[in-house]
Amino acid sequence: MLGAAASAPAPPARTVAFFDAYPRARGGGQAALRQMAAGLRERGWQVRVLLPTDGQLRRELDADGVRVDVVAAPPALTVYGGATVGLARVAAGLSLPRYWWRLARLLRGHVDALHAQDLRGLLLAGPAARLARIPVVWHVHADSGAPLLNRLAGRLATRVVLSSPSLAIPGVPVHPDRDVVPNGVPVPPSVPVRTPAVPPRLVTLSRLHPVKQVEVLLDATAQLRAAGIDVRVDVLGEEQPGHEEYAAMLRRRAEELRVDDVVTFHGHVDHPEPMLDAAAVYVHTSSHEMQPLAILEAMSRAVPVVASAVGGVPEIVRDGDTGRLVPDADPTAVAAAVRELLADPAAAAAMGRRAHDHVRAHFDAAAVADRVDRLYRDLLGSPA
């Protein structure tokens, strides 16, 4: 009997549920969620993911072996981003209380904490966590530009974490060290062996959304060709739902600039590493970014980077050291930076090696997972 008592089963592992409001998107936030979920599971936590609609994210999480619950939201709550205006906004507001009660019933007694992605995720799921009497972590990947909602969200959340120290949310106090959980990527322990292609290839990892400003890269490509520099361009990223016209505009722009013979739109690529390893330069021309995983991925492969100096990008790309920073929406500056890197392959390779070492030191996925683990140990105690 004493032996039986001594071998009593351990208590069940603590459960963290993630909520993402955009399961149909294939962006950095969704990739970061998958990495955090994997890291917590490796460290003994149970993980669930709640989604308001079906989408690609559910299928990817299924492949990862993560439990996913699609708690179907009314159509008014699933409109992407700032498109919720006018009567749609009224309908969304009226739909929220019932949705909160449904989520709360699912959470109560089954989940120990909720991890809500960005403002929309918190507004859809945060009140449900409060109704279920569990803590809610608000993970901010980008500023919503809605000060009143931000302050409301800051009061609703038990803990606020930022993906970047430069991401200040007015009225929402955060600890500059403890409450910063950056994006992370798996980083090879040593610098990858790279074989840049001939002619040189420029690569961008970018969903086709207006904020990504892929047209700036197309304009820069036209300038390079006009200067007699032969390049190929690989655009890796799928059309963003609701922005199909932007993707069509990019193809028209390539034809008008007469670069459609050297620019390839590949759509989404699950494993971009071979294309990155063959790239001479990685180019990122977004108008708004905080900590783009795409840049981190390229740097982890030791690819020299040319990027717009916006948001949190200068925290990653140190101009002249780990890459080149250029003004926003300036194709001439992009073309000049690319020309500089192509003209001195040895210097570009050294820059790529420093980029790899910088990402390995500060943005490795395992180190980021340790931070998330510490966050929940601080909030809930041991996972088991």
Side-chain angles (χ1 to χ4, degrees), residues 77-334:
L77 294 178
T78 61
V79 179
Y80 190 91
T84 309
V85 297
L87 291 177
R89 180 171 292 181
V90 174
L94 294 174
S95 301
L96 280 169
R98 185 176 181 184
Y99 191 66
W100 292 335
W101 280 110
R102 289 173 56 206
L103 275 177
R105 288 199 300 268
L106 182 66
L107 295 170
R108 189 178 294 114
H110 302 286
V111 170
D112 296 292
L114 179 76
H115 192 113
Q117 296 268 88
D118 282 317
L119 180 61
R120 192 177 184 90
L122 185 74
L123 294 178
L124 287 181
R130 289 303 200 180
L131 288 169
R133 300 183 182 278
I134 61 172
V136 54
V137 171
W138 178 26
H139 198 153
V140 186
H141 294 277
D143 185 1
S144 67
L148 291 177
L149 287 177
N150 280 338
R151 284 196 288 272
L152 173 64
R155 294 189 180 97
L156 179 63
T158 310
R159 184 88 167 262
V160 180
V161 296
L162 309 178
S163 64
S164 164
S166 67
L167 182 57
I169 306 297
V172 180
V174 295
H175 190 283
D177 179 38
R178 182 194 66 182
D179 295 333
V180 173
V181 177
N183 291 330
V185 293
V187 184
S190 58
V191 176
V193 177
R194 305 190 61 250
T195 53
V198 179
R201 307 195 78 92
L202 313 181
V203 173
T204 189
L205 298 170
S206 176
R207 55 191 168 90
L208 303 187
H209 183 282
V211 76
K212 299 300 183 181
Q213 295 189 145
V214 178
E215 65 273 18
V216 175
L217 173 57
L218 300 182
D219 292 349
T221 302
Q223 292 187 26
L224 290 167
R225 294 196 80 186
I229 300 173
D230 187 19
V231 295
R232 301 292 183 270
V233 178
D234 296 304
V235 180
L236 281 56
E238 63 186 358
E239 294 183 6
Q240 180 74 48
H243 293 280
E244 291 79 8
E245 177 52 34
Y246 176 72
M249 181 278 290
L250 291 176
R251 292 181 172 87
R252 290 195 302 270
R253 183 77 156 261
E255 292 175 1
E256 292 164 1
L257 294 170
R258 298 183 179 179
V259 297
D260 54 307
D261 59 326
V262 298
V263 176
T264 304
F265 294 93
H266 293 270
H268 177 76
V269 176
D270 282 325
H271 299 288
E273 294 86 359
M275 300 187 80
L276 289 171
D277 290 346
V281 182
Y282 177 83
V283 182
H284 202 87
T285 54
S286 292
S287 61
H288 297 87
E289 291 285 8
M290 285 317 304
Q291 276 191 350
L293 278 171
I295 292 180
L296 294 174
E297 286 184 70
M299 293 174 68
S300 77
R301 306 301 303 180
V303 187
V305 170
V306 172
S308 301
V310 298
V313 172
E315 298 167 8
I316 304 172
V317 180
R318 300 182 299 204
D319 190 35
D321 181 26
T322 62
R324 288 300 318 276
L325 293 174
V326 296
D328 178 34
D330 190 338
T332 300
V334 172

